[in-house]
Amino acid sequence: WVSNIYNVSQRKMLVEEATDNWAYTTDTFRQVNNSAANQLDFLQSLTGGMVVARALSAAMACSWACR
């Protein structure tokens, strides 16, 4: 991590999952596709600044072929 308090700039962060389906066997919260690659980390050097985060997701549960 590197921090520069004298030259603060906004940075857009995005993670997109390429896999279009996967199976889970338990009801619990987890990272998408159970992969640590589907997370964003950030460092805020100065207190008082606003952080905005949005997470978008779509899910479908099927017992056989979903359409």
Side-chain angles (χ1 to χ4, degrees), residues 10-39:
Q10 288 185 343
R11 178 173 181 241
K12 292 184 179 183
M13 302 168 78
L14 172 70
V15 173
E16 292 183 288
E17 172 61 45
T19 306
D20 62 357
N21 64 62
W22 53 88
Y24 291 129
T25 57
T26 60
D27 296 337
T28 187
F29 289 103
R30 66 185 88 205
Q31 294 165 311
V32 174
N33 203 10
N34 210 20
S35 171
N38 293 314
Q39 71 182 30

Side-chain angles (χ1 to χ4, degrees), residues 2-67:
V2 176
S3 176
N4 184 344
I5 62 172
Y6 301 107
N7 188 20
V8 177
S9 63
Q10 288 185 343
R11 178 173 181 241
K12 292 184 179 183
M13 302 168 78
L14 172 70
V15 173
E16 292 183 288
E17 172 61 45
T19 306
D20 62 357
N21 64 62
W22 53 88
Y24 291 129
T25 57
T26 60
D27 296 337
T28 187
F29 289 103
R30 66 185 88 205
Q31 294 165 311
V32 174
N33 203 10
N34 210 20
S35 171
N38 293 314
Q39 71 182 30
L40 299 172
D41 298 319
F42 74 95
L43 170 70
Q44 185 174 5
S45 303
L46 298 172
T47 60
M50 182 183 293
V51 175
V52 177
R54 293 186 188 116
L56 303 173
S57 179
M60 183 184 319
C62 298
S63 59
W64 53 284
C66 294
R67 297 191 177 153

